[in-house]
Amino acid sequence: MHKITQAFVLAAGLGTRLRPLTDDLPKPLIPIFQKPLITFALDHLIGAGMNKFIINTHRLPESFQEFFSQSDNAGRSVTVIHEPELLDTGGGIKNAERDLGSEPFLTYSGDILTDMDLQPLIDEHFRRGNDVTLALRETRFAPGVAFRDRCVVDISSKYGIAGNYDFANIAVWNREIFRRIPPRRKISFIPIIADWIGQGGKIGGLVMNDGKWFNIGSRADYLEVHRTILRDDWTPHYIQIRDWPERIAKSAVVDATAQLLGCSVVGEHCRIGEQAILEDTILWPDAQIASQTHLEGCIVRSQKEASGIHRDIDI
């Protein structure tokens, strides 16, 4: 069994499709049953044997600094690299070159939630002697990766070969990638990989359809992941919290006459007034719900107040 000890977690996205939810909170920090999204990635990686993390940021970097300063990160090393100008996935990797050093590393998108077993991907990378090894999956998205005989032969149709899998936003890399990305330039690693294929690079992959995999890119995705966790009674194997998923935070104050229906989640220090009705509604920490309020399919952000009758809106 092979081992990788460091990971680069990409957390510098804009979260545009989740606005206004991401106006005040970066997408990697949005809560899933009281647990910030990025902590699932870190727990997953720790469970796979990694103990060093580099995380890039762009919007609201102070939120990340505050969060990680208050967390012990399970005793692991966490380095936060701020990008004043967004560098995209490839530029972000290049920007972390000094911190990642010479050893192989794994990249993990900060906006996915999955329990896929990472060890087979790591083993495949070393066993095949790949330059890069992509986690591949059949998803609801367009299959942009052409995978034949355990090799990635095209990506984004650069060479006209039809794709048959989606990139699952997790990959293993050798140090050679740093030489191929120009410094201080905003660039995705997708065209870098595409060019590398044409130059004889050994770009491998592993189909990983096991477990669950969520890409939380929209409010619909955000609501659906909560419904799925509750419906399927799903807890990723790497989570150490005994009472997760926690539907109602212990510090929340919910009036005895209030009703919580469907997949409703109440965050820390929330207050819900008399005869309020919440249906499939998520409250972030410190949200305040007035008496006789009726919310259906809503998300109430931290320190926001809601009153009246609303459906399918963010507050």
Side-chain angles (χ1 to χ4, degrees):
M1 185 173 71
H2 299 89
K3 189 175 181 180
I4 286 182
T5 60
Q6 58 177 351
F8 179 50
V9 181
L10 296 98
L14 296 174
T16 304
R17 290 189 297 142
L18 264 175
R19 288 178 179 169
L21 298 179
T22 51
D23 283 349
D24 304 316
L25 192 67
K27 182 163 62 172
L29 295 182
I30 62 174
I32 309 288
F33 284 104
Q34 325 303 338
K35 183 174 170 61
L37 177 56
I38 198 170
T39 64
F40 291 89
L42 297 181
D43 289 350
H44 196 182
L45 294 163
I46 289 170
M50 277 156 257
N51 55 36
K52 175 184 175 182
F53 305 105
I54 292 88
I55 300 170
N56 68 338
T57 67
H58 175 63
R59 287 191 68 252
L60 305 171
E62 64 282 356
S63 299
F64 289 97
Q65 293 290 353
E66 180 180 0
F67 176 77
F68 285 112
S69 69
Q70 296 175 355
S71 171
D72 66 1
N73 308 311
R76 272 68 176 188
S77 168
V78 175
T79 300
V80 177
I81 302 177
H82 179 55
E83 298 176 12
E85 296 183 11
L86 194 61
L87 295 172
D88 210 331
T89 55
I93 288 175
K94 179 66 175 179
N95 195 47
E97 179 176 3
R98 182 179 63 181
D99 294 284
L100 289 168
S102 60
E103 296 300 314
F105 62 95
L106 186 146
T107 55
Y108 195 116
S109 175
D111 59 4
I112 63 169
L113 172 55
T114 182
D115 62 349
M116 297 189 306
D117 185 359
L118 300 179
Q119 190 59 50
L121 180 71
I122 295 169
D123 289 341
E124 177 73 4
H125 180 78
F126 287 102
R127 183 169 52 244
R128 301 281 293 176
N130 292 332
D131 295 309
V132 186
T133 307
L134 307 179
L136 305 175
R137 193 175 176 93
E138 294 171 316
T139 72
R140 60 188 171 87
F141 301 105
V145 180
F147 187 58
R148 311 284 191 274
D149 299 322
R150 301 176 79 174
C151 294
V152 174
V153 296
D154 200 354
I155 191 164
S156 298
S157 297
K158 180 177 177 66
Y159 304 105
I161 305 173
N164 52 343
Y165 291 100
D166 185 25
F167 172 48
N169 293 350
I170 299 173
V172 180
W173 307 76
N174 288 346
R175 179 175 174 76
E176 172 67 13
I177 183 60
F178 296 126
R179 193 175 67 82
R180 294 181 167 272
I181 304 175
R184 297 177 297 280
R185 179 180 167 189
K186 180 180 180 180
I187 186 171
S188 165
F189 60 59
I190 298 300
I192 302 293
I193 292 175
D195 289 344
W196 206 348
I197 291 170
Q199 296 162 4
K202 197 163 185 181
I203 313 302
L206 185 68
V207 177
M208 304 177 70
N209 283 326
D210 61 305
K212 293 188 183 296
W213 183 89
F214 305 94
N215 186 324
I216 303 173
S218 66
R219 80 180 305 272
D221 295 333
Y222 182 68
L223 291 170
E224 182 58 28
V225 74
H226 284 82
R227 295 190 192 102
T228 301
I229 289 168
L230 196 61
R231 181 186 66 236
D232 296 351
D233 191 25
W234 178 67
T235 300
H237 59 83
Y238 48 78
I239 288 184
Q240 302 298 317
I241 304 172
R242 289 183 58 187
D243 57 356
W244 191 92
E246 187 179 26
R247 294 187 65 183
I248 303 175
K250 296 177 180 62
S251 59
V253 178
V254 181
D255 189 88
T257 62
Q259 298 181 58
L260 305 180
L261 308 175
C263 183
S264 290
V265 181
V266 181
E268 294 180 349
H269 308 297
C270 288
R271 299 186 70 88
I272 302 176
E274 298 176 1
Q275 298 181 347
I277 301 174
L278 305 185
E279 298 182 58
D280 297 322
T281 288
I282 298 173
L283 308 184
W284 289 5
D286 297 295
Q288 309 288 312
I289 308 301
S291 297
Q292 300 183 332
T293 295
H294 188 169
L295 304 178
E296 182 178 352
C298 296
I299 303 169
V300 183
R301 291 173 287 159
S302 296
Q303 301 180 345
K304 301 293 184 182
E305 299 180 6
S307 62
I309 300 173
H310 301 284
R311 182 176 182 179
D312 297 330
I313 66 168
D314 302 326
I315 298 172

